[in-house]
Each structure stands twice: as C-alpha cells, then as structure tokens.
Amino acid sequence: LQTDTDIVVLTTGVLVLITMLPMIPQSGKQYLHDFFGIFGRLSAWCLQNPGHVAEIYLVHLHASVYALFHRLYGMYPCNFVSFLRSHYSMKENLETFEEVVKPMMEHVRIHPELVTGSKDHELDPRR
C-alpha cells in the first residue's frame, strides 16, 4: 500500500487493512504512522490519478479511502487528527486536503476522545 501502483491491489489492500485494524489494535499501533502515510498517499492518489486509471476504479478507491478515514478516526482520533494537522499544513498537500480530506471531515462528529483523551492514552494497552 505504500508503494504499489495497481489500483485494484490498492483498493483491495485498503479494504483488508480496514477489516484487520479492529482485530489488532495494540499490535497495529507500531505501524500507526505507516497507516497514516497510506491514508495520505491514497488521498492524493484519488485527486491526482497518477496511474491514469478509469473513473470507476477511482470511485472504488475513494470509497475505500473514506472507509479508512472513518476507521482511523474512530480508533485513533487524537493521533489521526495530529497527523492530519501536520501532513495537510504543508503547502504541497493543501489541494488534497481541500478536495478530498475536508469533505470527509465534514461528515463526522467530534470524537469524545479529542476532548477527554490524549495521543498517549489512545495507545495504552489497558484501553
């Protein structure tokens, strides 16, 4: 998911990741930044279409990335919002934020952990 360019592999891989994340919340935390990087890469892919793939494949990829957004925000809201803040504050990522990520954010409510939790508490094995 970090380097592949086959749209079918990417879409399938994201769906597998979304399915696996709730099953491995603690062992997956060491790869959290990789998961966030995958989200960032595929969000940009949805906008730029570097592989020049058919629109129908992009729709499926976008739906998969949207589901990944919900999974990451639901499981790791403090860490994910921190990633979004740092990643999309860079000038080169601003267009992707405006066109792809911001519309996703407009359809979620504020997560209670953003108020009562912290990035460290989120990754605590006792949680």
Side-chain angles (χ1 to χ4, degrees):
L1 290 174
Q2 293 175 331
T3 59
D4 207 302
T5 58
D6 184 329
I7 193 84
V8 175
V9 171
L10 291 172
T11 303
T12 305
V14 169
L15 294 174
V16 169
L17 179 61
I18 292 164
T19 304
M20 297 294 293
L21 271 172
M23 297 176 202
I24 56 165
Q26 284 305 312
S27 49
K29 73 180 182 184
Q30 64 189 357
Y31 302 108
L32 204 54
H33 294 289
D34 293 332
F35 300 152
F36 295 160
I38 290 166
F39 173 82
R41 176 178 185 255
L42 297 181
S43 295
W45 184 288
C46 288
L47 179 66
Q48 298 164 357
N49 190 7
H52 306 290
V53 297
E55 185 70 27
I56 189 68
Y57 291 118
L58 281 180
V59 169
H60 285 92
L61 179 64
H62 185 77
S64 300
V65 171
Y66 187 59
L68 180 60
F69 170 85
H70 275 276
R71 178 71 73 210
L72 293 172
Y73 182 70
M75 290 181 68
Y76 309 103
C78 297
N79 285 281
F80 190 50
V81 168
S82 177
F83 163 78
L84 294 174
R85 213 178 262 127
S86 66
H87 186 74
Y88 293 107
S89 65
M90 293 183 265
K91 185 179 179 181
E92 64 269 15
N93 298 328
L94 192 57
E95 184 180 9
T96 302
F97 176 76
E98 290 293 330
E99 298 295 323
V100 179
V101 179
K102 188 175 179 181
M104 292 179 189
M105 294 179 74
E106 291 173 350
H107 295 283
V108 295
R109 294 180 178 197
I110 187 167
H111 197 290
E113 285 292 316
L114 292 173
V115 176
T116 61
S118 70
K119 288 175 24 174
D120 295 330
H121 172 70
E122 234 171 47
L123 302 177
D124 187 349
R126 294 172 290 173
R127 179 172 173 246

